[in-house]
């Protein structure tokens, strides 16, 4: 589905990514782990075209997308949920969802606001509330729902559990499971290992802009030294 | 002159008032067309589009050309108007694609510089294509003459114009609130990149907004054809008024713009009858009152927050050694060379030194302060008048008179600033403009004291400073001292507090900074410094005129700061030198200096989107590190 | 005497009652956690405590003095430091300068027009940053820091005020698990050493149950439970509305 090879990126002269290589198969959930400042968000932004990669290749469903515009990448079926949520504050919940709406590819049941409200019931109670007037956690749900409205085949989820109540994180884990069963591939960045352990198939660890370790979740569980070295757990 | 005014001979009192009201409504309608385009463009792109008035003017000129060439009759007229409107829309889209699209990421207000470049280019291009004389258009077929209602005769075309405004308002409201395009546009207003990441080609969104906005300006202009003569001053006269309407109504609010257009339109119609003395500033007085009472305009709302913050402003560091050396070398030249220069060169150098301080004072509030001012010339001019009046009425010698300049300007800064710094963004900038216009009209219309248009003459330096060279050194010392003092302030805790309230008002307040007090003090300080520059200017010229406080001098100051780069401390200095030098040379070389200056500004904007000094710094950092 | 006493605090936005009648107290050196579902009203409570929002009803007392409705800058002057859920720092200044600003403000020296900031309080700021593990970042602009690091800067700014009361809205959000507990342990140490009363919110249960002396649970704007961490953790109502089964939080 997604194959990233030797991806490099910089802000000004500061080299942030120095050759990130990772892959996500169809219907798979891969978690990108790393301390803060390791480059998780930058990796996602570079894949999405929001930061221009300075080197490397990104293939999504067989097409080279490195260096393309974000909107083109999104139209190929790659959704992005940023860590800072970026809700349209003056638009209502329904309007936020409308901005994300794109036609579904053939064979996919399109997401509708109603289906999403079933997934995130607290949003259903505030359809006409402007985004700026929602609590942090409510915004987090809205931003995921908004991306799903684009009927993506794969989504990049940047720290989705951040700032959510434990019950909601549990629901989020179930949601991710449900999305996965629908055939969606997911690349997720996380610091919450418990959460990652519940939802992910494979893990990739990034540190100072390089991939240091990759393997299945059971393998990570069996490797405390890796967790200690890169994740300070 | 309105055409019916020419034909209506003696009208009865009642009819006169009704006609006046009607004419006010028709003006309001036209004003709304232009203002709605401006507000739509600003609402989405946050660009203060000075070129909007140029599109209005082009709408009128192009419509004139088409209508007078096409066969007479319904088709010729309305077809010509329609085609002109579409052409103007396309021109607006082209400006977006070729120019503005490339500089969206530049610091705030930088785009203003680009649109000002367009204004200059369009002015000279229009002059070259259509000539300097006023052009008269034909009347609208089918809408000639007048109709009788309740025994009063109303011109048909005015009635038609009155109907156009509400129709356009309704259509626009539908477009923005009932269509997907409208939702996308409103989302893009808040966070462009996120809209892109959701699969929307936001470039076309912006281009389409410029098409729509310019089209409305063109429509406003083309529909003036049967009403007024077409001339080269249409652009600047409409743009100030359109800004006033947009701000009084509340930025981004279409209904607000409609309401404000109504207010301003009627004010014009009746202002002449009721307050003939202060007609020039009536509009600005109204704007000042509205903004003081309602800081976000009549129907504007406080932004709900969560507008994606732009990239953080760069850190300010002490100048690197190389830059200090360069500065010292430049200073050395400024001290050593002038004895060998002629009178003309000396007066240019004197003016440059003055402009450096003027620009640096504006930079204090624009850069670190984060408040734009469209009326900084007020303090420059008040400094000049302060000094000149002291010479004329108090018969003070030069130095005491000069010492009075910063106090006069600083006092005005305290009074005006108390209102301006409560506001933010374009609202604050427009309020500064309003106060500047009020100050200007005082200088212009209070003839007994200020001499009005004739100014005050004979403001010459004392004997010891009379030689051009001596006066130059005096100016250099004072301006350099002032500029260095401002630099020092920016590096001191007060300057940091100023930046703190700009970066994060929330955090500033939470660590005990009173944003209002800090902004207020900075505003007054900047005003006082501009006053010194103004006082020196008065003695350099030997006279003062109302133009010292005029809009165009305020715009010059803005251009200097933006050209040099708002985000660097050297910016205003470089900008003032470059702008003054360029302007001086171009005016000497060619009649089409506007075209030349405009093109140079456009080129600079495209190639140095952080301003001259900003570009130099980026280069330097790329080579020497220090990210 | 308790450092902070809150009685009957209430706030609604339009029709939404965000906080309805909340009362509690925090003593010197005590760490009180305020937890609850998203939208329960935790941040709204914080905003009323530091003056960002004016309560509709209720009183806030600091050392017995009524501070209800004072402006945030006045409350800061009385010795309250706060961190924000969505970080707010000065992006055009370095980490060190951000802390220097707080120190200078604490010493009422922000009016200076002449002496450069660079030479004032830099050492104190560095020491504070070093204590929070930010020594290496001191010279970087805040505008480009990773989220977790910004949280630390916020904490340093709040501590620079030598506060009697520290309000922290999700202080460890965005950090790696090990760093979270380490940071909270550090805060707890500083708080006990200096007798600072700490009120914080968190969604990370390791942090809450590992470091809080007492826990308050807020649900739909009202207090649902209050007590020692173990008691709250065992409360079935709290499990139902907030904690869940614990599968994604290390099995509580
Ligand atoms: N706009 C920017 N300019 C310069 N440097 C930046 C910018 N944005 C991020 N960085 C730097 O890039 C590095 C990686 O940041 P990134 O946001 O990718 O980390 P992350 O792994 O997502 O961390 P977190 O878990 O805190 O979100 C950090 O050191 C950060 O300071
Ligand atoms: N300015 C506002 N206008 C209207 N409603 C608001 C406003 N701010 C917050 N709310 C509402 O008040 C409630 C409480 O919000 P608050 O931010 O205090 O929640 P919280 O407990 O901090 O949640 P989280 O853990 O998600 O940060 C929410 O339902 C929110 O939507
Ligand atoms: Mg991140
Ligand atoms: Mg909160």
């Amino acid at each position: 589905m997604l194959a990233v090879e030797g991806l490099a990126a910089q802000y000004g002269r500061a080299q942030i990514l120095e050759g990130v290589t990772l892959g996500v198969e169809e219907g798979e959930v891969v978690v990108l782990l790393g301390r803060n400042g390791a480059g998780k968000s930058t990796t996602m932004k570079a894949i999405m075209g929001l930061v221009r990669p300075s080197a490397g290749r990104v293939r999504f469903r067989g097409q080279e997308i490195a260096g393309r515009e974000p909107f083109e990448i999104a139209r190929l079926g790659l959704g992005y949920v940023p860590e800072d949520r970026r809700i349209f504050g003056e638009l209502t919940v329904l309007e936020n969802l409308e901005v994300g709406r794109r036609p579904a590819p053939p064979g996919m049941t399109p997401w509708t606001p109603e289906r999403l409200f079933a997934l995130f019931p607290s949003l259903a109670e505030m359809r006409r509330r402007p985004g700026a007037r929602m609590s942090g956690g409510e915004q987090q749900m809205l931003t995921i729902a908004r991306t799903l409205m684009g009927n993506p085949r794969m989504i990049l989820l940047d720290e989705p559990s951040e700032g959510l109540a434990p019950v909601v994180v549990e629901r989020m884990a179930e949601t991710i499971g449900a999305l996965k069963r629908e055939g969606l591939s997911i690349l997720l960045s996380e610091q919450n290992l418990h959460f990652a352990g519940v939802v992910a198939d494979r893990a990739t660890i990034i540190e100072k802009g390089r991939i240091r370790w990759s393997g299945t979740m059971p393998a990570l569980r069996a490797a405390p030294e890796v967790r200690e070295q890169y994740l300070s757990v | 002159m309105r055409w019916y005014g020419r034909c209506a001979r003696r009208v009865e009192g009642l009819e006169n008032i009704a006609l006046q009201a009607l004419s006010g409504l028709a003006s309001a309608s036209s004003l709304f067309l232009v203002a709605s385009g401006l507000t739509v463009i600003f609402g989405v792109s946050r660009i203060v589009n000075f070129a909007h008035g140029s599109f209005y003017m082009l709408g009128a000129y192009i419509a004139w050309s088409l209508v007078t060439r096409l066969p007479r009759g319904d088709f010729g007229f309305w077809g010509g108007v329609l085609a002109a409107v579409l052409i103007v829309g396309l021109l607006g889209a082209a400006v977006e694609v070729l120019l503005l699209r490339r500089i969206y990421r530049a610091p705030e207000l930088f785009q203003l510089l680009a649109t000002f470049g367009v204004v200059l280019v369009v002015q000279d291009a229009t002059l070259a294509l259509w000539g300097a004389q006023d052009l008269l258009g034909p009347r609208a077929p089918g809408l000639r003459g007048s109709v009788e209602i309740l025994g009063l005769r109303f011109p048909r075309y005015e009635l038609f114009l009155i109907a156009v405004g509400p129709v356009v308002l309704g259509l626009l409201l539908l477009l923005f609130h009932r269509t997907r395009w409208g939702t996308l546009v409103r989302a893009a207003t808040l966070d462009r990149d996120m809209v892109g990441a959701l699969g929307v080609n936001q470039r076309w969104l912006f281009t389409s907004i410029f098409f729509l906005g310019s089209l409305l300006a063109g429509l406003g202009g083309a529909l003036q054809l049967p009403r007024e003569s077409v001339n080269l001053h249409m652009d600047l006269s409409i743009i100030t008024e359109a800004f006033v309407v947009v701000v009084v109504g509340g930025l981004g609010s279409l209904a607000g713009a409609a309401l404000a257009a109504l207010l301003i339109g009627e004010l014009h119609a009746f202002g002449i009858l009721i307050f003939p003395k202060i007609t020039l500033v009536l509009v600005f007085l109204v704007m000042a009152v509205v903004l003081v009472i309602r800081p976000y305009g009549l129907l504007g709302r406080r932004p709900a927050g969560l507008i994606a913050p732009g990239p953080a402003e760069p850190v300010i560091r002490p100048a690197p050694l190389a830059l200090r050396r360069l500065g010292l070398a430049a200073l050395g030249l400024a001290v050593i060379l002038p004895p060998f220069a002629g009178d003309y060169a000396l007066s240019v150098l004197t003016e440059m030194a003055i402009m450096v301080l003027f620009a640096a004072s504006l930079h204090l509030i624009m850069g670190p302060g984060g408040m734009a001012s469209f009326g900084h010339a007020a303090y420059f001019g008040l400094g000049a008048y302060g000094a000149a009046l002291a010479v004329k009425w108090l018969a003070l010698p030069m130095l005491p008179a000069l010492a009075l300049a910063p106090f006069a300007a600083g006092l005005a800064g305290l009074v005006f600033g108390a209102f301006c710094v409560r506001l933010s963004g374009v609202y604050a900038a427009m309020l500064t403009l309003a106060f500047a216009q009020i100050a200007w009209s005082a200088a212009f219309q209070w003839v007994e004291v200020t001499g009005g248009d004739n100014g005050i003459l004979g403001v010459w330096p004392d004997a010891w400073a009379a030689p051009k060279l001596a006066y130059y050194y005096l100016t250099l010392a004072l301006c350099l001292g002032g500029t260095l003092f401002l630099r020092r302030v920016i590096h001191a805790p007060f300057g940091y507090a100023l930046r703190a309230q700009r970066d994060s008002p929330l955090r500033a307040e939470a660590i005990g900074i009173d944003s209002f007090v800090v902004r207020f003090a900075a505003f007054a300080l900047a005003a006082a410094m501009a006053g010194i520059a103004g006082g020196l200017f008065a003695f350099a010229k030997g006279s003062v005129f109302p133009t010292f406080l005029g809009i165009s001098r305020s715009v010059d100051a803005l251009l200097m700061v933006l050209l040099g780069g708002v985000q660097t401390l050297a910016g205003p200095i470089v900008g003032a030198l470059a702008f003054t030098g360029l302007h001086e040379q171009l005016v000497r070389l060619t009649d089409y200096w506007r075209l030349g200056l405009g093109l140079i500004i456009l080129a600079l904007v495209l190639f140095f989107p952080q301003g001259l000094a900003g570009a130099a710094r980026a280069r330097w950092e790329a080579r020497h590190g220090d990210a | 005497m308790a450092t902070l006493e809150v009685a009957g605090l209430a706030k609604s936005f339009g029709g939404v009652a965000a906080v309805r009648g909340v009362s509690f107290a925090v003593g010197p050196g005590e760490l009180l956690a305020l937890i609850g579902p998203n939208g329960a009203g935790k941040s709204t409570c914080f905003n009323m405590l530091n003056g960002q929002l004016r309560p509709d009803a209720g009183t806030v007392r600091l050392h017995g003095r009524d501070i209800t409705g004072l402006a945030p800058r006045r409350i800061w002057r009385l010795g309250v430091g706060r961190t924000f859920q969505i970080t707010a720092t000065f992006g055009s200044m370095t980490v060190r300068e951000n802390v220097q600003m707080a120190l200078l403000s604490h010493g009422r020296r922000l009016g200076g027009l002449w002496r450069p900031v660079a030479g004032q309080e830099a050492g104190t700021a560095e020491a504070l940053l070093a204590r929070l593990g930010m020594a290496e970042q001191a010279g970087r602009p805040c505008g480009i820091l990773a989220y977790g690091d910004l949280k630390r800067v916020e904490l340093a700014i709040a501590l620079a005020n030598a506060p009697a009361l520290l309000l922290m809205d999700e202080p460890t959000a965005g950090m790696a698990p090990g760093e979270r507990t380490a940071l909270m342990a550090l805060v707890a140490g500083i708080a006990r050493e200096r007798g600072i009363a700490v009120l914080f919110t968190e969604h990370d249960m390791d942090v809450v149950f590992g470091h809080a002396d007492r826990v308050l649970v807020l649900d739909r704007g009202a207090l649902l439970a209050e007590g020692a961490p173990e008691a709250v953790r065992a409360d079935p109502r709290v499990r139902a509305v907030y904690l869940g089964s614990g599968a994604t939080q290390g099995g509580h």
Side-chain angles (χ1 to χ4, degrees):
Chain A
M1 175 81 19
L2 179 78
V4 177
E5 225 183 284
L7 190 65
Q10 50 201 46
Y11 290 115
R13 290 178 331 106
Q15 185 83 27
I16 305 297
L17 301 184
E18 351 197 330
V20 169
T21 300
L22 56 84
V24 182
E25 299 301 322
E26 179 121 31
E28 193 183 32
V29 179
V30 174
V31 62
L32 193 58
L33 293 164
R35 291 202 183 105
N36 33 55
K40 304 181 294 294
S41 304
T42 309
T43 303
M44 295 199 166
K45 287 182 191 161
I47 293 174
M48 202 59 211
L50 290 164
V51 167
R52 196 157 280 268
S54 53
R57 292 151 52 88
V58 182
R59 293 186 76 75
F60 177 63
R61 301 178 61 224
Q63 291 195 49
E64 180 62 46
I65 58 169
R68 292 232 216 151
E69 293 277 328
F71 79 90
E72 294 176 308
I73 296 175
R75 285 181 183 181
L76 292 173
L78 189 58
Y80 168 63
V81 178
E83 64 185 329
D84 46 1
R85 302 174 183 146
R86 307 196 32 190
I87 289 300
F88 303 117
E90 290 182 7
L91 269 54
T92 63
V93 168
L94 281 175
E95 285 172 333
N96 266 283
L97 294 178
E98 169 65 20
V99 175
R101 182 167 64 84
R102 295 205 61 74
M108 195 190 232
T109 334
W111 286 99
T112 59
E114 291 315 316
R115 265 184 84 198
L116 288 164
F117 289 149
L119 202 58
F120 302 108
S122 51
L123 293 184
E125 294 164 20
M126 43 185 79
R127 293 163 198 238
R128 301 204 180 275
R129 188 179 304 179
R133 304 232 179 109
M134 298 166 73
S135 86
E138 291 158 357
Q139 292 183 356
Q140 180 71 47
M141 300 178 214
L142 179 57
T143 176
I144 295 177
R146 183 179 65 182
T147 299
L148 288 176
M149 282 297 285
N151 297 303
R153 290 175 191 273
M154 171 168 178
I155 49 179
L156 309 174
L157 275 177
D158 201 351
E159 305 211 25
S161 76
E162 188 54 65
L164 292 187
V167 263
V168 184
V169 175
E170 259 168 45
R171 192 142 8 94
M172 179 77 65
E174 285 161 22
T175 307
I176 290 179
L179 295 177
K180 185 183 157 181
R181 281 192 296 281
E182 296 222 359
L184 207 66
S185 318
I186 297 172
L187 176 65
L188 149 111
S189 96
E190 257 310 327
Q191 309 224 20
N192 178 346
L193 262 183
H194 306 302
F195 177 71
V198 174
V199 301
D201 302 314
R202 279 194 304 120
T204 293
I205 298 181
I206 184 170
E207 166 87 7
K208 298 214 167 113
R210 281 174 200 274
I211 301 295
R212 307 292 165 147
W213 189 90
S214 281
T216 60
M217 287 315 284
L220 182 62
R221 252 173 242 127
E225 71 289 350
V226 172
R227 297 207 302 268
E228 203 152 293
Q229 185 176 358
Y230 298 117
L231 307 174
S232 56
V233 177
Chain B
M1 196 62 203
R2 277 146 202 165
W3 65 267
Y4 66 86
R6 283 192 303 246
C7 26
R9 286 271 177 266
R10 283 183 38 195
V11 258
E12 318 252 346
L14 180 63
E15 192 166 355
N16 199 354
I17 289 180
L19 275 178
Q20 205 65 19
L22 201 66
S23 146
L25 281 181
S27 309
S29 200
S30 314
L31 202 50
F32 170 71
L33 291 185
V34 183
S36 65
L38 192 62
T39 208
V40 161
I41 289 180
F42 178 84
V44 176
S45 64
R46 305 275 151 200
I47 290 183
V48 177
N49 184 13
F50 268 21
H52 201 67
S54 308
F55 291 125
Y56 168 81
M57 177 170 78
L58 282 177
Y61 271 104
I62 296 176
W64 180 86
S65 288
L66 292 175
V67 169
T68 48
R69 277 184 187 68
L70 288 169
R72 288 182 164 263
D74 276 352
F75 171 77
F77 183 86
W78 295 112
V81 165
L82 198 67
V85 166
L86 286 175
I87 292 174
V88 173
L90 289 175
L91 282 175
V95 166
E96 196 274 341
V97 171
L98 296 176
L99 181 65
L100 299 174
R101 178 181 285 185
R102 293 159 205 272
I103 52 170
Y104 280 134
R105 276 168 214 285
E108 214 188 344
L109 280 185
F110 191 72
Q111 296 91 356
L112 182 154
L113 184 61
T115 60
F116 198 75
V118 175
V119 170
L120 293 173
V121 170
V122 170
Q123 269 182 349
D124 269 358
T126 315
L127 173 66
L129 286 171
W130 282 281
Q133 74 285 15
D134 286 14
L135 305 174
L136 279 175
R139 308 222 189 124
L143 294 174
R144 278 166 230 227
S146 46
V147 282
E148 225 182 85
I149 305 171
L150 296 176
L152 298 176
R153 292 156 52 79
F154 292 104
R156 274 174 208 234
Y157 193 70
E158 303 280 292
L159 292 176
F160 162 74
L161 275 185
I162 292 171
V164 172
V167 170
V168 168
L169 173 64
L171 288 176
L172 287 175
L173 286 176
L174 280 181
L175 189 60
F176 280 102
H177 291 275
R178 289 280 179 274
T179 65
R180 175 172 164 83
W181 180 84
T183 308
L184 293 181
V185 162
R186 284 186 298 137
T189 309
L190 301 166
D191 190 339
R192 251 170 247 179
D193 286 343
M194 196 58 226
V195 170
L198 290 170
V200 179
N201 185 349
Q202 88 277 27
R203 289 195 175 170
W204 283 112
L205 226 44
F206 279 86
T207 311
S208 59
I209 271 295
F210 270 86
F211 175 74
L212 176 67
S214 311
L215 182 141
L216 288 168
L219 181 63
L223 290 183
Q224 289 306 301
L225 211 50
R227 252 186 129 209
E228 290 179 37
S229 69
V230 180
N231 63 58
L232 287 171
H233 304 294
M234 291 174 83
D235 55 348
L236 291 183
S237 66
I238 196 82
I239 189 68
T240 5
E241 233 155 66
F243 267 126
V244 170
V245 166
V246 165
V247 165
V248 166
L251 289 170
S253 163
L254 286 166
L259 197 61
L262 208 61
L263 184 67
I264 304 291
E266 290 300 338
L267 204 64
H268 271 309
F270 288 104
I272 305 174
L273 302 180
I274 304 172
F275 311 102
K277 274 253 159 192
I278 51 166
T279 46
L280 291 174
V281 273
L282 205 50
V283 169
F284 290 97
L285 270 175
V286 168
M287 174 162 84
V289 170
V290 169
L291 287 184
V292 166
I293 297 172
R294 293 193 55 98
Y296 295 94
L298 292 174
L299 297 187
R301 280 171 302 136
R302 177 189 290 275
L306 285 188
I307 290 180
E313 302 264 334
V315 173
I316 287 186
R317 299 181 195 271
L321 196 60
L323 184 60
R324 285 172 193 228
R325 287 204 181 125
L326 196 70
L328 275 180
L331 182 60
L333 289 181
V335 173
I336 297 165
L337 287 188
F340 309 104
D343 268 5
Y344 171 73
L346 272 178
S347 64
V348 172
L349 284 174
T350 308
E351 190 169 335
M352 280 181 162
I354 291 171
M355 289 306 148
V356 165
L357 180 58
F358 184 32
S361 70
L362 176 59
H363 173 259
L364 178 73
I365 48 178
M366 267 180 80
M371 312 171 258
S373 167
F374 292 168
H376 203 53
Y379 312 102
F380 181 85
L382 287 172
Y385 268 95
L389 290 173
V391 169
K392 187 173 169 203
W393 296 106
L394 306 177
L396 289 187
M398 178 183 74
L399 284 182
L402 263 184
L404 221 73
F407 286 101
L411 199 67
L414 282 176
V415 176
F416 296 164
F419 298 103
C420 296
V421 305
R422 280 174 211 279
L423 275 53
S424 54
V426 177
Y427 292 104
M430 288 302 285
L431 191 56
T432 58
L433 174 63
F435 284 125
Q437 286 302 96
I438 292 167
W440 170 82
S441 85
F444 192 78
Q445 288 181 313
W446 195 8
V447 181
E448 305 83 55
V449 175
T450 62
D453 207 11
N454 298 324
I456 302 173
L457 306 179
V459 190
W460 294 114
D462 294 348
W464 62 270
K468 285 234 182 282
L469 187 64
Y471 193 73
Y472 165 73
Y473 280 128
L474 174 70
T475 308
L476 184 67
L478 286 178
C479 290
L480 197 70
T483 308
L484 288 179
F485 174 65
L486 287 174
R487 250 186 108 88
R488 188 92 200 184
V489 166
I490 291 175
H491 284 292
F494 177 75
Y496 271 68
L498 194 58
R499 276 159 64 206
Q501 59 81 31
R502 171 197 69 188
D503 283 1
S504 171
L506 185 66
R507 172 49 78 192
E509 178 79 20
I511 64 163
I513 296 175
D514 188 335
S515 299
F516 172 77
V517 168
V518 172
R519 288 156 68 104
F520 184 43
F523 196 91
L525 176 63
M529 288 295 165
I532 297 181
L536 286 166
F537 197 65
F539 284 102
K541 297 279 166 190
S543 49
V544 294
F545 299 102
T547 51
F548 284 20
L549 323 89
I551 295 186
S552 74
R553 190 161 294 278
S554 291
V555 171
D556 284 354
L558 262 180
L559 295 185
M560 289 185 247
V561 171
L562 291 171
L563 203 58
V566 196
Q567 295 183 329
T568 51
L569 296 186
I573 303 176
V574 175
L577 296 178
F579 181 81
T580 317
L582 262 176
H583 191 267
E584 202 64 44
Q585 292 312 309
L586 283 171
V587 172
R588 274 189 352 145
L589 283 177
T590 157
D591 280 345
Y592 285 102
W593 63 269
R594 286 191 193 84
L595 184 66
L597 189 61
L599 288 176
I600 292 174
I601 288 179
L602 292 183
L604 290 176
V605 161
L606 283 177
F607 297 115
F608 304 110
Q610 298 178 303
L612 292 171
R617 179 176 61 190
R619 279 249 168 124
W620 166 268
E621 281 178 356
R623 197 166 320 150
H624 298 270
D626 204 14
Chain C
M1 185 173 38
T3 308
L4 174 75
E5 287 164 291
V6 175
L9 213 53
K11 178 84 196 172
S12 36
F13 299 106
V16 188
V19 174
R20 27 188 147 187
V22 170
S23 309
F24 60 87
V26 203
E30 187 186 19
L31 269 72
L32 177 63
L34 183 61
I35 64 174
N38 296 113
K42 303 180 294 295
S43 299
T44 307
C45 267
F46 270 56
N47 287 340
M48 288 189 283
L49 297 184
N50 93 315
Q52 215 83 50
L53 284 175
R54 179 181 278 278
D56 295 343
T59 55
V60 182
R61 289 176 180 279
L62 187 71
H63 295 308
R65 172 178 171 182
D66 192 348
I67 60 163
T68 323
L70 290 187
R73 59 174 187 278
R74 307 280 299 283
I75 293 183
W76 155 272
R77 294 250 170 262
L78 296 172
V80 178
R82 107 159 257 191
T83 70
F84 292 97
Q85 180 172 2
I86 297 166
T87 55
T89 54
F90 307 131
S92 79
M93 298 180 201
T94 63
V95 171
R96 187 192 308 111
E97 289 168 342
N98 267 271
V99 181
Q100 278 173 284
M101 286 305 283
L103 288 164
L104 286 171
S105 172
H106 180 66
R108 293 185 161 275
R109 289 192 285 149
L110 280 180
L113 291 173
W114 193 250
R115 272 184 63 204
V117 168
Q120 304 187 48
E121 302 280 9
T124 325
E126 302 239 327
L128 190 53
L129 286 168
R131 194 144 183 211
L132 296 173
M134 289 285 292
E136 278 177 31
Q137 313 265 25
R140 299 185 71 197
C142 265
I144 63 166
L145 286 192
Y147 190 61
D149 289 335
L150 280 175
K151 287 276 172 186
R152 274 182 248 254
V153 178
E154 289 237 312
L155 183 55
I157 292 175
L159 285 175
N161 196 26
L165 172 68
L166 187 57
L167 303 171
M168 300 195 292
D169 202 350
E170 304 199 12
T172 71
M175 292 186 189
E179 297 173 4
R180 289 175 191 245
T181 38
L183 186 80
M184 275 317 277
L186 186 68
V187 171
I190 296 176
R192 296 206 173 102
E193 167 193 319
R194 302 189 190 167
I196 303 173
V198 179
L199 178 68
F200 71 100
T201 71
E202 248 322 317
H203 288 301
D204 183 315
M205 293 304 110
D206 293 342
V207 169
V208 171
F209 293 113
H211 296 282
D213 298 313
R214 231 158 19 103
V215 179
L216 290 176
V217 187
L218 209 57
D219 183 33
R220 294 165 189 264
L223 279 187
L224 178 72
E226 171 175 8
E230 293 68 38
V232 166
R233 186 189 291 188
D235 190 326
R237 288 173 309 164
V238 179
R239 298 199 83 93
V241 303
Y242 184 66
L243 292 175
S245 70
T248 54
Q249 287 276 349
H252 296 289

